[in-house]
Amino acid sequence: MAQEDVFKKLVAHCKEYGFVFPSSEIYDGLGAVYDYGQNGVELKNNIKKYWWDAMVKLNDNVVGLDSAIFMHPTIWKASGHVDAFNDPLIDNKDSKKRYRADVLIEEQIAKFDDKINKEIAKAQKKFGDAFDEAKFRETNPNVLREQAKRDALHERYSKAMNANDLNELRQIIIDEEIVCPISGTKNWTEVRQFNLMFTTEMGSTADGSMKIYLRPETAQGIFVNFLNVQKTGRMKIPFGIAQIGKAFRNEIVARQFIFRMREFEQMEMQFFVRPGEEMKWFEYWKAFRMKWHQALGMGAENYRFHDHDKLAHYANAATDIEFRMPFGFKEVEGIHSRTNFDLSQHAKYSGKKIEYFDPELNQSYTPYVIETSIGVDRMFLSILAGAYCEEQVGEGDMRVVLRLPAVLAPVKVAVMPLVKKDGLPEKAREILNSMKLEFNCQYDEKDSIGKRYRRQDAIGTPFCITVDHQTLEDNTVTIRYRDTMEQERIKVDDVYGIISKNVNNHELFKKLL
Ligand code: GAP
């Protein structure tokens, strides 16, 4: 199945099974804003818990914070967001559609990558096990030609972005003959900068209201609380502050479902270190964060690092962790070495001294910062994309199964009486009641057992427990495993232990230590 079709199916599946709904749907929706349904909210909460426990519980020197969304507007002046949190925009005069100039060019670069990958896939098929990809890349004339074009375009683009050269960005679009996907024409406007922050007003107009911003990242709430946490927690450098919360960006190109939203959630951690030690910690957190992703078992080959060509105004090193989405490798998490930029700026703009006295060095300094920043919604999408699977089961039958990591699955176990009589529902409820405070459980007695299994497969429930007449005689049940569809007879007393072992974060955390 083409990857585009997989993605469409995934979006439809999310709606049909209560994971994600378009916001305000009965009013025809609101662009790039989504609501999480009964299964979506559970999956989202499990992702957040996996992150929080890994960052705050596993690391003795990382503590949490929950700062307000509304903050003093000068914070965004100090952070550079008022002046520099912009996207380069270009309009097509015929379709009147607006695009991000950088995205148009990046998509053009991706087209060269696609051509190269197709050549490689073709050759791989032809030569089988004897295929040597590295050699093929070095010698095949088609690959070499496309690679040279790609590299030249990439270099020109990087230069233009680093120099903030909007004319050059437009010229690249013209030279590459990029057309508007709607009108099909090359009738482009100039490229202009557009600030991504939403604004609102605080206070009544009679009192003189104040223009404030909806935070575009949670990080600034951490920076402005650095001294509060450090002093009250008696924290010693190096230490980190972690936070989960909503962020808002008026994205121009808001598409690909929950990949790019206008209201989204971030899980960010700022790790404060001694000046000069930032690269050591940058490498440490890169490795730790990659392990965190890979521990979920979605396949190491589906993740990669991508170093930034253009560094943000505050960073001296930056990389992304990318996941193979149905529309290619895409950023899920950013890891940045933010220098002492933010703390210094807040010291300057607030007039307060924001420094740390290091007792070991017997000196005060402005700490440097390593940031790990991951979007909850993007993580959610990557997990669903990696888990979604359509498979043939027997003659002419197929099932849709979400192979979600058990720790993240919205429902951990479904308990089902084989029939709705003879005391089986009561026994099933008794088993469910013994587990429901520990795991999210579902009771289901409607339709054939086969249909019920399929319903649970579709929401990724790792275990189903079926209660039948034998249960009443010998206190055993059938456990059915989602991925293999194997069934086993086990004692009721063993159910809790089996599920608990598999849905607990602890096993994953062993891989992080
Ligand atoms: N504090 C640093 C920061 O905000 P970022 O790379 O702009 O860095 C971090 O954002 C993460 O937030 C991204 O890797 C992505 O997962 C998520 N994110 C950013 N913009 C988003 C959007 N419009 N919709 C969904 N997630 C987004």
Side-chain angles (χ1 to χ4, degrees), residues 100-140:
R100 267 175 61 177
D102 55 336
V103 171
L104 287 179
I105 299 170
E106 277 170 16
E107 283 173 354
Q108 186 75 358
I109 294 172
K111 279 187 192 159
F112 289 115
D113 288 331
D114 283 350
K115 276 191 199 161
I116 294 168
N117 289 337
K118 273 189 192 140
E119 288 286 344
I120 290 170
K122 227 166 55 189
Q124 205 151 29
K125 211 168 162 191
K126 189 167 157 196
F127 297 114
D129 287 346
F131 181 65
D132 179 345
E133 186 182 325
K135 198 155 178 214
F136 185 77
R137 278 182 183 274
E138 278 167 25
T139 52
N140 181 274

Coordinates of all heavy atoms in Angstrom, one line a residue, residues 100-140:
R100 N 4.9 28.1 3.3 CA 6.2 28.5 3.8 C 7.3 28.2 2.8 O 7.4 27.1 2.2 CB 6.5 27.6 5.0 CG 6.0 28.2 6.3 CD 6.2 27.3 7.5 NE 7.6 26.9 7.7 CZ 8.0 26.1 8.7 NH1 7.1 25.7 9.6 NH2 9.3 25.8 8.9
A101 N 8.0 29.3 2.5 CA 9.0 29.2 1.4 C 10.0 28.1 1.7 O 10.4 27.3 0.8 CB 9.8 30.5 1.2
D102 N 10.4 28.0 3.0 CA 11.4 26.9 3.3 C 10.9 25.5 3.2 O 11.5 24.6 2.7 CB 11.9 27.1 4.8 CG 10.8 27.2 5.8 OD1 9.7 27.5 5.4 OD2 11.1 26.9 7.0
V103 N 9.6 25.4 3.4 CA 8.9 24.0 3.3 C 8.9 23.7 1.8 O 9.2 22.5 1.4 CB 7.6 24.0 4.0 CG1 6.8 22.7 3.6 CG2 7.7 24.2 5.5
L104 N 8.5 24.6 1.0 CA 8.5 24.3 -0.5 C 9.8 23.8 -1.0 O 9.9 22.9 -1.7 CB 8.1 25.6 -1.3 CG 6.6 26.1 -1.2 CD1 6.5 27.3 -2.0 CD2 5.7 25.0 -1.7
I105 N 10.9 24.5 -0.5 CA 12.2 24.1 -1.0 C 12.6 22.7 -0.3 O 13.2 21.8 -1.0 CB 13.3 25.2 -0.6 CG1 12.9 26.5 -1.3 CG2 14.7 24.7 -1.1 CD1 13.7 27.7 -0.9
E106 N 12.3 22.5 0.9 CA 12.6 21.2 1.6 C 11.9 20.1 0.9 O 12.4 19.0 0.7 CB 12.3 21.3 3.1 CG 13.4 21.9 3.9 CD 13.0 22.2 5.3 OE1 12.0 21.7 5.8 OE2 13.7 23.0 5.9
E107 N 10.7 20.4 0.4 CA 9.9 19.3 -0.3 C 10.6 19.0 -1.6 O 10.6 17.8 -2.1 CB 8.5 19.7 -0.5 CG 7.7 19.6 0.8 CD 6.3 20.2 0.7 OE1 5.9 20.8 -0.3 OE2 5.5 20.0 1.7
Q108 N 11.2 20.0 -2.2 CA 11.9 19.8 -3.5 C 13.2 19.0 -3.2 O 13.4 18.1 -4.0 CB 12.3 21.2 -4.1 CG 12.9 21.2 -5.4 CD 11.9 20.9 -6.5 OE1 10.7 20.7 -6.3 NE2 12.4 20.9 -7.8
I109 N 13.8 19.2 -2.1 CA 15.0 18.4 -1.8 C 14.6 17.0 -1.5 O 15.2 16.0 -2.0 CB 15.7 19.0 -0.5 CG1 16.3 20.4 -0.9 CG2 16.8 18.1 0.0 CD1 16.9 21.2 0.3
A110 N 13.4 16.8 -0.9 CA 13.0 15.5 -0.6 C 12.6 14.7 -1.9 O 12.8 13.5 -1.9 CB 11.7 15.5 0.3
K111 N 12.3 15.4 -2.9 CA 12.0 14.8 -4.2 C 13.2 14.1 -4.8 O 13.2 13.0 -5.3 CB 11.4 15.8 -5.2 CG 9.9 16.0 -5.0 CD 9.4 16.9 -6.1 CE 8.0 17.4 -5.7 NZ 7.6 18.5 -6.5
F112 N 14.4 14.8 -4.6 CA 15.6 14.2 -5.1 C 15.9 12.9 -4.2 O 16.3 11.9 -4.7 CB 16.8 15.2 -4.9 CG 16.8 16.3 -5.9 CD1 16.6 17.6 -5.5 CD2 16.9 16.0 -7.3 CE1 16.5 18.6 -6.5 CE2 16.8 17.0 -8.2 CZ 16.6 18.3 -7.8
D113 N 15.7 13.0 -2.9 CA 15.9 11.9 -2.0 C 15.0 10.7 -2.5 O 15.5 9.5 -2.5 CB 15.6 12.2 -0.6 CG 16.7 13.1 0.0 OD1 17.8 13.0 -0.4 OD2 16.4 13.9 0.9
D114 N 13.8 11.0 -2.8 CA 12.9 9.9 -3.2 C 13.4 9.2 -4.5 O 13.3 8.0 -4.6 CB 11.5 10.5 -3.6 CG 10.7 10.8 -2.3 OD1 11.2 10.4 -1.2 OD2 9.7 11.5 -2.4
K115 N 13.9 10.1 -5.5 CA 14.4 9.5 -6.7 C 15.5 8.6 -6.4 O 15.6 7.5 -7.0 CB 14.8 10.6 -7.7 CG 13.7 11.3 -8.4 CD 14.3 12.2 -9.5 CE 13.3 13.1 -10.0 NZ 13.8 14.3 -10.7
I116 N 16.4 9.0 -5.6 CA 17.6 8.2 -5.2 C 17.2 6.9 -4.5 O 17.6 5.8 -4.9 CB 18.6 9.0 -4.3 CG1 19.1 10.2 -5.1 CG2 19.7 8.1 -3.7 CD1 19.9 11.2 -4.2
N117 N 16.2 7.0 -3.6 CA 15.8 5.8 -2.9 C 15.1 4.8 -3.8 O 15.2 3.6 -3.6 CB 14.8 6.2 -1.7 CG 15.6 6.9 -0.6 OD1 16.8 6.7 -0.5 ND2 14.9 7.7 0.2
K118 N 14.4 5.4 -4.8 CA 13.7 4.5 -5.8 C 14.7 3.7 -6.6 O 14.6 2.5 -6.8 CB 12.8 5.3 -6.7 CG 11.4 5.4 -6.1 CD 10.4 6.0 -7.1 CE 9.2 6.4 -6.3 NZ 8.6 7.7 -6.7
E119 N 15.8 4.4 -7.0 CA 16.9 3.7 -7.8 C 17.5 2.6 -6.9 O 17.7 1.5 -7.4 CB 18.0 4.7 -8.1 CG 17.6 5.7 -9.2 CD 17.6 5.1 -10.6 OE1 18.1 4.0 -10.8 OE2 17.0 5.8 -11.5
I120 N 17.7 2.9 -5.6 CA 18.3 1.9 -4.7 C 17.4 0.7 -4.5 O 17.8 -0.4 -4.6 CB 18.7 2.6 -3.4 CG1 19.8 3.6 -3.6 CG2 19.1 1.6 -2.3 CD1 20.2 4.5 -2.5
A121 N 16.1 1.0 -4.3 CA 15.1 -0.1 -4.1 C 15.1 -1.0 -5.3 O 15.0 -2.2 -5.2 CB 13.8 0.5 -3.8
K122 N 15.1 -0.3 -6.5 CA 15.1 -1.1 -7.8 C 16.3 -2.1 -7.9 O 16.1 -3.3 -8.2 CB 15.1 -0.1 -9.0 CG 14.0 -0.5 -10.0 CD 13.8 0.7 -11.0 CE 15.1 1.1 -11.7 NZ 14.9 2.3 -12.5
A123 N 17.4 -1.5 -7.6 CA 18.7 -2.3 -7.7 C 18.7 -3.4 -6.6 O 19.1 -4.5 -6.9 CB 19.9 -1.4 -7.5
Q124 N 18.2 -3.1 -5.5 CA 18.1 -4.0 -4.4 C 17.3 -5.2 -4.8 O 17.7 -6.4 -4.5 CB 17.5 -3.4 -3.2 CG 17.9 -3.9 -1.8 CD 17.9 -2.9 -0.8 OE1 17.1 -1.9 -0.8 NE2 18.7 -3.0 0.3
K125 N 16.2 -5.0 -5.4 CA 15.3 -6.0 -5.8 C 16.0 -6.9 -6.9 O 15.9 -8.1 -6.9 CB 14.0 -5.4 -6.5 CG 12.8 -6.2 -6.3 CD 11.6 -5.4 -6.6 CE 10.4 -6.3 -6.9 NZ 9.3 -5.5 -7.5
K126 N 16.7 -6.2 -7.8 CA 17.4 -6.9 -8.9 C 18.5 -7.8 -8.4 O 18.6 -9.0 -8.8 CB 17.9 -5.9 -9.9 CG 18.4 -6.5 -11.2 CD 18.6 -5.3 -12.2 CE 19.6 -5.7 -13.2 NZ 20.1 -4.6 -14.0
F127 N 19.4 -7.3 -7.5 CA 20.6 -8.0 -7.1 C 20.4 -8.8 -5.8 O 21.3 -9.6 -5.5 CB 21.8 -7.0 -6.9 CG 22.1 -6.3 -8.2 CD1 22.0 -5.0 -8.4 CD2 22.6 -7.1 -9.3 CE1 22.3 -4.3 -9.6 CE2 22.9 -6.4 -10.5 CZ 22.7 -5.0 -10.6
G128 N 19.4 -8.6 -5.1 CA 19.1 -9.4 -3.9 C 20.2 -9.2 -2.8 O 20.7 -8.1 -2.6
D129 N 20.6 -10.4 -2.2 CA 21.6 -10.4 -1.1 C 22.9 -9.8 -1.5 O 23.7 -9.3 -0.7 CB 21.7 -11.8 -0.6 CG 20.5 -12.2 0.2 OD1 19.7 -11.3 0.5 OD2 20.3 -13.4 0.5
A130 N 23.2 -9.9 -2.8 CA 24.6 -9.5 -3.3 C 24.7 -8.0 -3.4 O 25.7 -7.4 -3.7 CB 24.8 -10.1 -4.7
F131 N 23.6 -7.3 -3.2 CA 23.5 -5.8 -3.4 C 24.4 -5.1 -2.3 O 24.2 -5.3 -1.1 CB 22.1 -5.3 -3.3 CG 21.9 -3.9 -3.6 CD1 22.3 -3.3 -4.8 CD2 21.4 -3.0 -2.5 CE1 22.1 -1.9 -5.0 CE2 21.3 -1.7 -2.7 CZ 21.7 -1.1 -4.0
D132 N 25.2 -4.2 -2.8 CA 26.1 -3.4 -1.9 C 25.6 -1.9 -2.1 O 26.0 -1.2 -3.1 CB 27.5 -3.6 -2.4 CG 28.5 -2.8 -1.5 OD1 28.0 -1.9 -0.8 OD2 29.7 -3.1 -1.5
E133 N 24.8 -1.4 -1.1 CA 24.3 -0.1 -1.3 C 25.3 1.0 -1.4 O 25.2 1.9 -2.2 CB 23.3 0.2 -0.2 CG 22.5 1.5 -0.4 CD 21.6 1.9 0.7 OE1 20.9 1.0 1.3 OE2 21.4 3.1 1.0
A134 N 26.3 0.9 -0.5 CA 27.3 2.0 -0.5 C 28.0 2.1 -1.8 O 28.2 3.2 -2.3 CB 28.3 1.7 0.6
K135 N 28.4 0.9 -2.4 CA 29.1 0.9 -3.7 C 28.1 1.5 -4.8 O 28.6 2.3 -5.6 CB 29.5 -0.5 -4.0 CG 30.5 -0.5 -5.1 CD 31.4 -1.8 -5.0 CE 32.4 -1.8 -6.1 NZ 32.7 -3.1 -6.6
F136 N 26.9 1.1 -4.7 CA 25.9 1.5 -5.7 C 25.8 3.0 -5.7 O 25.8 3.7 -6.7 CB 24.6 0.8 -5.4 CG 23.5 1.1 -6.4 CD1 23.5 0.5 -7.7 CD2 22.5 2.0 -6.2 CE1 22.5 0.7 -8.6 CE2 21.5 2.3 -7.1 CZ 21.5 1.6 -8.3
R137 N 25.7 3.6 -4.5 CA 25.6 5.1 -4.3 C 26.8 5.8 -4.9 O 26.7 6.9 -5.4 CB 25.5 5.4 -2.8 CG 24.1 5.3 -2.3 CD 24.1 5.7 -0.8 NE 22.8 5.6 -0.2 CZ 21.9 6.5 -0.2 NH1 22.1 7.6 -0.8 NH2 20.7 6.3 0.4
E138 N 28.0 5.1 -4.8 CA 29.2 5.7 -5.3 C 29.4 5.7 -6.8 O 30.1 6.5 -7.4 CB 30.5 5.0 -4.6 CG 30.8 5.5 -3.2 CD 31.8 4.6 -2.5 OE1 32.5 3.9 -3.2 OE2 31.7 4.6 -1.3
T139 N 28.7 4.7 -7.4 CA 29.1 4.4 -8.8 C 27.9 4.6 -9.8 O 28.1 4.9 -11.0 CB 29.6 3.0 -9.0 OG1 28.6 2.1 -8.4 CG2 30.9 2.8 -8.3
N140 N 26.7 4.4 -9.3 CA 25.5 4.5 -10.3 C 25.4 5.9 -10.8 O 25.2 6.9 -10.1 CB 24.3 4.0 -9.6 CG 23.1 4.1 -10.5 OD1 22.4 5.1 -10.7 ND2 22.8 3.0 -11.2

